[in-house]
Amino acid sequence: FAGLALSFHLLVGVYNLFCLIPVFTLQQRETKNFLINTIKSFPIFLIAGSVGIYGILYQLTLVSDDLSRMGWDIYVNIRVPHHTLPTHLPVEIWIKFIIFTLLNLFFFIKSEKKAMKMLSSYAIFSSVVSLIGLLIFLVWGPGHHLKYYFFRFGSIMLPLITFLNIISFTIEKF
């Protein structure tokens, strides 16, 4: 499914792959044939993700000129700053972000269920995507670098996974 996510939406697919790193790491610890299964499924990933992989390669090899950067600066700063700039996000969003991240860290540490640990690690890495965007903002300011919507993936996945983990943790404890 990671390949399909990459083909349907580049950013969601790339962020999804990034968040799957800890999930695969946790899976690998307990599965003997993990590496063999990963190698076997890699061609399926390449086929399913071929459209997205082509899009990424195209974007990376595309020469970006000043006019293109100006267009992205307008897009980031004027058209959709509520999605791309951390200074345009309400304080409540940042408070929820911190609380949800800490809750998932708690679930990761305290849960004995492998599935909850994997889900929590995915959520924590979705927070890392936002933190990378925040770091880019702090280093380079509100410019075209923020066109990749660093804050949108975590703003969806973090509350969703936290909700699922709260339910699962409650069921596990009672």
Side-chain angles (χ1 to χ4, degrees), residues 55-70:
I56 290 170
L57 293 175
Y58 179 77
Q59 284 291 321
L60 290 176
T61 58
L62 188 66
V63 177
S64 183
D65 58 1
D66 289 337
L67 187 60
S68 174
R69 276 190 225 101
M70 267 188 355

Side-chain angles (χ1 to χ4, degrees), residues 4-144:
L4 288 176
L6 190 59
S7 285
F8 283 113
H9 195 284
L10 285 180
L11 292 179
V12 173
V14 168
Y15 296 154
N16 176 55
L17 284 173
F18 178 74
C19 293
L20 285 173
I21 291 170
V23 174
F24 287 150
T25 304
L26 287 171
Q27 182 71 20
Q28 182 181 13
R29 272 198 256 163
E30 298 177 11
T31 306
K32 293 179 182 178
N33 296 330
F34 176 78
L35 188 58
I36 293 168
N37 291 337
T38 302
I39 292 169
K40 284 181 183 177
S41 63
F42 190 70
I44 297 169
F45 167 77
L46 286 177
I47 292 167
S50 61
V51 173
I53 293 167
Y54 170 78
I56 290 170
L57 293 175
Y58 179 77
Q59 284 291 321
L60 290 176
T61 58
L62 188 66
V63 177
S64 183
D65 58 1
D66 289 337
L67 187 60
S68 174
R69 276 190 225 101
M70 267 188 355
W72 279 114
D73 285 341
I74 291 169
Y75 181 78
V76 166
N77 292 299
I78 296 171
R79 175 72 176 92
V80 290
H82 55 286
H83 291 302
T84 57
L85 297 179
T87 53
H88 280 69
L89 298 174
V91 174
E92 298 84 30
I93 296 290
W94 288 108
I95 292 169
K96 290 176 186 175
F97 174 81
I98 292 167
I99 290 170
F100 291 154
T101 302
L102 291 174
L103 276 170
N104 279 289
L105 191 58
F106 170 80
F107 294 137
F108 182 81
I109 293 168
K110 292 292 184 181
S111 179
E112 297 170 7
K113 287 183 173 179
K114 178 180 154 188
M116 184 180 282
K117 284 189 177 292
M118 290 168 65
L119 203 54
S120 297
S121 67
Y122 188 97
I124 292 166
F125 264 56
S126 76
S127 299
V128 171
V129 171
S130 297
L131 291 175
I132 290 169
L134 187 59
L135 180 66
I136 289 170
F137 174 78
L138 293 173
V139 172
W140 286 290
H144 63 278

Side-chain angles (χ1 to χ4, degrees), residues 153-172:
F153 189 74
S155 70
I156 300 300
M157 298 310 291
L158 202 52
L160 173 66
I161 292 173
T162 304
F163 177 70
L164 294 172
N165 277 338
I166 288 170
I167 292 170
S168 181
F169 192 76
T170 305
I171 291 170
E172 180 182 314

